[in-house]
Amino acid sequence: MSDLELGDSTSTGEPLARTEYGKVSGVYDGPIAVWRGVPYAAAPRGNARFAPPQPPEPWTGVRECVVAGDIAPQAMGAMVPVDSDLQMGEDCLWVNVWSPNPNPDDEPRPVMVWLHGGAYCLGTAAQSIYDGRKLAESGDVVVVTVNYRIGVLGFLDLSSFGSDFTPNLGLHDQLAALAWVRDNIASFGGDPGNVTLFGESSGAGCVTALLTSPAAAGLFHKAIAQSPPATTVFGQERAAVVARRYLELLDIDPSDVEQLHELPIAKLVEAGAILMDEVPVKEPGRLAAAPVVDGTLLPDYPIDRFQQGRSHRVPLLIGTNRDEASLFRVLRSPIMPVTPDAVNAMLRDVAAAHPEMSAERIAEITSAYPDLTKTRGALAMSTDAAFRMPAAWVAEAHAQHSPTWMYRFDYATPMLKAARVGAGHATELPYVFGNFGTLNHDPTFWLGGRKASVAVSGRMRRRWLAFAEHGVPAALDGSKHWPHYRPAARTTLLIDTIDRVVDNPDADLHTAWGDQAVGFS
């Protein structure tokens, strides 16, 4: 046991903890101790820019960890709102930690490790919506949010240019952060033997990928995947095509690829931004950067590993939002196809990627969307192809051997309904973290609905927290009992003003799409 425990503090009363690299001081936010920007790996600069993470240099004395570190290099935009006082840089491998006010006699607390979303190319653990104080306080848990490489530095596979380039660096970073949690979280009051990995959107896609990665075995004990694009994983052939296009945008010959280690980071990000927009416009439904089947960290497509019964034996809570694609229409984002033409192009691409699929099978799928010539039908098809069906295929397979629960988030405030966003992508995030804006600054409440929203948030947090502590999402407050997901019944919790438990709420979709996973390779 270390000689410095969480209960210790500096002379000014700030919380102190010892990591294996040195002591860190934080601040108190009410009864919650908070450390921000704690390094779990060294800055991946220079020759380390496209290499797996390495341990940070140890330090002497006490390192002040009260502000977030650099956010991972990315093209900033409206898709992911980031505070203007945050700076971008390569020293971006750090975690934030929230821990309830320590008591030397406390039992170690459950740990929840968060992976942010952002289409594998945007976002940061420093976004205020991911502030873990309310979760930590209401659930008596330790919350850790992970910053990791994204976009061209984290999920663009350049390994076709040589061994200096490692694929899946974002996943490598996440594994390093989970190893840091295993080795250090006890000093922050957490239980390294009770870790729940949770994430949303591409963060949830990382969760489902890591659920099938041999390297992740034992690093987490439960998983929550909120709207995972679980079939958005590429093969190396596809990744090599995108990598060549990236060099073209930078005007670099493959023989001079080493320049990528020396170029200013702003130039890499600028070309990356063009690539991230270009690919989904040319090939609707595809992303430029995503996890890649590299043969080691990801031995095979995660959805295939799930269906072969080769996912880790841990409890899983998984689900989607009813109106996922609506947000992308409102933001005019190319990341998802939301027009009839784009959806038809996506279907042609899916057919080309799956020559084993008959024309009848494609017709059967499209028959479930009678208004595919209209925006509404296109949005529904896009939602199901990217999120709803991948989540269902994961749940069907994982439930064969491990406790699994499925939800659908249907709740929307009057304002979100009026804006035709409804229960759009990412709209469940403030409900999980309990982080609503103030009355005057949260536009989702401009037409009312705050009281109902607070109640929905309370139920969701209690379920997520019960799952993190006990492995069962039971809110002991008179909420609906939430039975296991079983393929025969497909029992699903519909989260709304009043929660409902429904068997097979998307039966027509299951009939149309079938059990064979369809994705992009």
Side-chain angles (χ1 to χ4, degrees):
M1 181 170 290
S2 73
D3 58 1
L4 182 74
E5 302 300 336
L6 180 58
D8 292 333
S9 61
T10 63
S11 57
T12 54
E14 293 131 349
L16 266 179
R18 182 192 293 278
T19 76
E20 59 190 324
Y21 308 108
K23 302 172 188 174
V24 289
S25 67
V27 294
Y28 279 106
D29 183 0
I32 302 299
V34 187
W35 293 262
R36 290 186 171 89
V38 181
Y40 65 84
R45 296 191 183 103
N47 287 337
R49 184 176 270 176
F50 296 99
Q54 297 300 312
E57 284 290 320
W59 57 88
T60 56
V62 177
R63 180 176 182 137
E64 188 177 70
C65 290
V66 297
V67 295
D70 291 350
I71 70 172
Q74 61 191 275
M76 309 291 276
M79 267 295 290
V80 175
V82 173
D83 295 342
S84 57
D85 58 343
L86 295 171
Q87 65 178 36
M88 195 162 65
E90 290 189 85
D91 193 3
C92 61
L93 305 185
W94 48 264
V95 294
N96 297 325
V97 182
W98 287 263
S99 182
N101 196 7
N103 182 315
D105 300 324
D106 279 355
E107 289 288 313
R109 294 171 168 86
V111 181
M112 299 182 74
V113 178
W114 174 254
L115 304 180
H116 70 79
Y120 298 108
C121 64
L122 299 165
T124 167
Q127 287 167 249
S128 56
I129 197 166
Y130 306 138
D131 187 292
R133 183 181 68 82
K134 287 179 180 162
L135 266 183
E137 188 172 2
S138 58
D140 200 33
V141 298
V142 175
V143 177
V144 179
T145 59
V146 179
N147 213 66
Y148 54 93
R149 281 173 283 183
I150 53 178
V152 294
L153 297 173
F155 289 98
L156 188 67
D157 178 9
L158 302 169
S159 63
S160 53
F161 299 126
S163 58
D164 285 349
F165 300 93
T166 301
N168 291 318
L169 286 171
L171 295 178
H172 280 282
D173 293 345
Q174 293 161 7
L175 288 168
L178 285 165
W180 182 93
V181 167
R182 177 195 63 203
D183 298 337
N184 295 280
I185 206 64
S187 295
F188 296 81
D191 180 356
N194 187 6
V195 174
T196 298
L197 184 64
F198 72 136
E200 182 266 346
S201 193
S202 57
C206 294
V207 171
T208 52
L210 292 176
L211 273 165
T212 71
S213 172
L219 288 176
F220 58 93
H221 313 96
K222 306 176 198 74
I224 301 174
Q226 300 167 206
S227 305
T231 54
T232 301
V233 179
F234 301 132
Q236 286 182 302
E237 191 177 317
R238 154 78 190 167
V241 171
V242 178
R244 284 196 297 275
R245 176 59 184 150
Y246 183 57
L247 289 196
E248 285 175 13
L249 290 168
L250 285 167
D251 199 22
I252 292 177
D253 188 89
S255 62
D256 296 325
V257 72
E258 287 303 315
Q259 285 186 48
L260 290 176
H261 291 101
E262 300 150 15
L263 283 174
I265 201 69
K267 188 162 185 180
L268 296 186
V269 167
E270 186 182 347
I274 296 170
L275 185 73
M276 300 301 156
D277 282 348
E278 181 182 280
V279 169
V281 168
K282 284 185 175 176
E283 304 174 81
R286 286 188 188 271
L287 298 177
V292 174
V293 176
D294 58 12
T296 51
L297 198 155
L298 294 184
D300 201 347
Y301 291 98
I303 196 67
D304 291 344
R305 298 268 293 179
F306 276 106
Q307 295 192 331
Q308 293 158 8
R310 303 184 76 177
S311 52
H312 296 308
R313 266 59 177 166
V314 300
L316 172 65
L317 193 161
I318 188 168
T320 58
N321 295 358
R322 185 186 59 203
D323 309 304
E324 296 278 6
S326 63
L327 181 75
F328 301 91
R329 176 186 61 81
V330 171
L331 294 177
R332 292 183 163 79
S333 166
I335 287 174
M336 281 187 75
V338 295
T339 65
D341 285 349
V343 165
N344 281 321
M346 176 185 73
L347 285 170
R348 288 193 295 273
D349 205 6
V350 167
H354 293 272
E356 76 281 1
M357 282 178 65
S358 64
E360 289 77 18
R361 173 96 197 278
I362 296 281
E364 202 173 326
I365 293 172
T366 55
S367 69
Y369 305 89
D371 50 358
L372 206 49
T373 57
K374 299 176 184 153
T375 298
R376 183 192 304 173
L379 289 172
M381 164 69 87
S382 199
T383 288
D384 298 338
F387 300 110
R388 182 97 75 238
M389 292 312 302
W393 291 321
V394 167
E396 303 263 322
H398 197 73
Q400 302 287 346
H401 59 70
S402 295
T404 301
W405 289 265
M406 172 72 89
Y407 73 87
R408 196 180 76 198
F409 184 77
D410 287 5
Y411 179 74
T413 64
M415 182 67 195
L416 286 177
K417 288 177 180 173
R420 292 191 299 153
V421 172
H425 191 62
T427 57
E428 90 286 5
L429 288 172
Y431 295 83
V432 170
F433 282 90
N435 293 331
F436 297 115
T438 63
L439 192 60
N440 297 326
H441 293 101
D442 191 330
T444 64
F445 295 130
W446 283 352
L447 296 179
R450 178 175 284 267
K451 185 177 178 184
S453 296
V454 168
V456 171
S457 174
R459 288 197 307 274
M460 281 190 81
R461 271 185 293 152
R462 284 190 290 274
R463 291 189 188 280
W464 266 232
L465 289 162
F467 181 77
E469 185 166 6
H470 305 295
V472 178
L476 304 177
D477 58 359
S479 297
K480 292 275 186 195
H481 174 59
W482 187 359
H484 287 109
Y485 185 89
R486 302 191 192 284
R490 297 191 178 116
T491 305
T492 303
L493 179 73
L494 305 186
I495 299 171
D496 208 334
T497 310
I498 296 172
D499 292 348
R500 293 185 298 140
V501 174
V502 177
D503 285 345
N504 210 359
D506 299 309
D508 54 336
L509 300 181
H510 285 278
T511 300
W513 286 85
D515 297 330
Q516 179 194 344
V518 178
F520 296 105
S521 55

